[in-house]
Amino acid sequence: MDPKPTPQEDPALLAAFEARIAAGESIEPKDWMPERYRRQLTRMMSQHAHSEVVGMLPEGNWITRAPSLRRKMSLIAKVQDEAGHGLYIYCGTETLGVDRFDLYRQLLDGTAKYSSIFNYPTLAWADMGVIGWLVDGAAIVNQTVLAKTSYGPYARAMVRICKEENFHKRQGYELCATLAAGTPAQRAMLQDSVNRFWWPALMMFGPSDTDSPNSAELLRWRVKRKTNDELRQRFVNLTVPQAQAIGVTLPDPDLRFDPETKNWVFGAIDWSEFYEVIKGNGPCNQERLAARNRAHDEGRWVREAATAHQAKQAARSTEAA
Ligand code: FAQ
């Protein structure tokens, strides 16, 4: 967490802020907010932006190998959308008074977190469908609720992003449905992909409520509107019928419907795997960071050229004035 001590807040300002939150008001960039609220949002939004940017890598890996022009076009468009979401959320973090390059540097030097899911490899074409279906599907469940978060710029970003994520999910599910209705080899490829991505997708929602250090504060300030476990359960309830509809088995022998709660009860999540991945020891953590650093280094000339161009334009307009 943030190493800097949190300053003592003015109790009257804090009480007024909490009353606004309780009344369901939206907090805007120029409004007073406790330093801790600002830091929590910066942490969460920057991790989210980094996830979008790193999230381009597993799918980008398959653009040259898409099996048809149509599939290639939609995959390129999806990856491009993810870049856009990243930029959009970095813009949102800047409304909190931080510089996006400082945040991006934390990603490059490995001190910032990004979603655990993007540290798993994409081994087969079916992974492109399964990422759309399960990973975007999980992201939508989380982000639909974040669209009602108390911080205005983040909430508005989520409304827009969710629209695109919905489209991503649909194209992913359509790809899965096509493979499910295909040859035995295609069906086997799909099933193998679901077996690999199911549990990591459940981990996207974060640790169980009892082990989530940030949840209580974020819920109190209505940054989060539902707990990690509530959202995970909603995702499972939505996804099980979708798997059944295309004849895919979810890799959980304990999965069963509870008629009383109307929930699909699922088996135990391997939290040791989750913590290893977020500590940097997942299957692809090093590869992902190396790829982002390489892209940053190779893009240096573009940044330098843009800065030189900007300086030249500024000099011209000073001359003309
Ligand atoms: N991966 O106390 P909590 C996408 C960390 S969507 C890595 O429960 P919190 C779209 C957490 O940061 C994916 N780290 O934390 C796409 C904290 O560490 P810290 C991104 C995780 O914040 C689709 C610690 O564990 N979406 O990319 C994860 O209350 C397809 C304790 O956890 C968002 O970021 C994890 N899965 O709840 C792109 C949504 N879970 O910072 C391409 C916004 C937890 O104290 C292709 N974020 N941690 O050192 C959130 O909703 C929340 O931050 C949670 C975590 C729910 C992720």
Side-chain angles (χ1 to χ4, degrees):
M1 269 304 303
D2 208 316
K4 279 180 277 169
T6 313
Q8 194 66 39
E9 302 292 0
D10 177 332
L13 286 174
L14 188 59
F17 172 83
E18 299 211 321
R20 289 190 65 197
I21 296 271
E25 281 184 40
S26 170
I27 306 299
E28 294 299 331
K30 288 186 177 154
D31 295 346
W32 185 88
M33 60 185 83
E35 184 55 26
R36 180 89 193 140
Y37 179 85
R38 187 186 299 278
R39 286 190 201 168
Q40 276 284 34
L41 271 165
T42 306
R43 176 190 68 84
M44 197 167 142
M45 289 169 70
S46 62
Q47 286 178 4
H48 192 167
H50 299 329
S51 303
E52 298 281 356
V53 170
V54 178
M56 290 192 282
L57 296 168
E59 291 168 294
N61 184 31
W62 279 86
I63 290 174
T64 54
R65 290 176 283 169
S68 70
L69 183 60
R70 176 175 162 255
R71 293 290 186 203
K72 193 191 283 277
M73 277 168 24
S74 57
L75 187 57
I76 290 173
K78 181 177 189 297
V79 172
Q80 205 170 305
D81 284 351
E82 284 150 12
H85 297 171
L87 296 179
Y88 204 40
I89 305 171
Y90 283 127
C91 266
T93 59
E94 289 188 321
T95 66
L96 291 160
V98 288
D99 183 330
R100 78 172 73 182
F101 291 108
D102 290 339
L103 302 174
Y104 199 66
R105 250 175 247 121
Q106 291 165 10
L107 171 69
L108 295 179
D109 69 20
T111 53
K113 287 194 173 71
Y114 57 86
S115 184
S116 48
I117 191 77
F118 303 118
N119 291 307
Y120 291 85
T122 42
L123 304 177
W125 170 249
D127 294 1
M128 298 306 99
V130 171
I131 287 179
W133 173 32
L134 298 183
V135 177
D136 285 271
I140 292 166
V141 167
N142 172 282
Q143 289 169 191
T144 308
V145 177
L146 280 178
K148 298 192 190 80
T149 193
S150 56
Y151 188 55
Y154 195 26
R156 291 189 286 276
M158 288 302 105
V159 171
R160 183 163 160 174
I161 288 172
C162 276
K163 288 186 184 153
E164 291 182 354
E165 303 281 33
N166 259 308
F167 189 71
H168 295 169
K169 187 200 158 177
R170 278 160 196 246
Q171 68 83 35
Y173 188 61
E174 190 264 343
L175 204 165
C176 291
T178 305
L179 292 175
T183 64
Q186 286 172 321
R187 285 202 293 278
M189 174 171 60
L190 174 64
Q191 184 61 59
D192 177 66
S193 175
V194 171
N195 293 349
R196 286 182 285 108
F197 278 98
W198 175 248
W199 292 106
L202 295 195
M203 293 175 198
M204 284 175 71
F205 295 93
S208 286
D209 295 348
T210 44
D211 296 317
S212 164
N214 298 297
S215 279
E217 188 173 55
L218 293 175
L219 287 161
R220 184 159 60 88
W221 282 334
R222 298 197 182 175
V223 173
K224 274 182 169 180
R225 308 299 304 256
K226 299 262 181 227
T227 72
N228 297 357
D229 285 335
E230 283 169 344
L231 293 176
R232 189 170 9 251
Q233 185 63 61
R234 177 163 168 71
F235 171 70
V236 173
N237 289 352
L238 287 168
T239 309
V240 174
Q242 292 163 3
Q244 289 171 334
I246 58 171
V248 162
T249 306
L250 296 173
D252 178 356
D254 297 324
L255 194 64
R256 64 177 174 84
F257 187 70
D258 179 345
E260 264 182 38
T261 60
K262 308 239 181 317
N263 283 328
W264 280 93
V265 179
F266 49 94
I269 293 176
D270 180 358
W271 290 115
S272 59
E273 176 180 321
F274 169 77
Y275 287 113
E276 276 306 305
V277 174
I278 68 169
K279 261 196 288 173
N281 303 325
C284 298
N285 295 61
Q286 288 181 9
E287 188 184 325
R288 299 296 183 235
L289 277 193
R292 290 282 21 127
N293 273 288
R294 203 166 47 246
H296 188 70
D297 293 344
E298 288 172 0
R300 175 165 292 124
W301 69 272
V302 179
R303 294 190 298 277
E304 285 171 359
T307 310
H309 178 71
Q310 198 183 21
K312 213 164 154 186
Q313 294 295 102
R316 272 205 198 129
S317 50
T318 319
E319 269 168 34

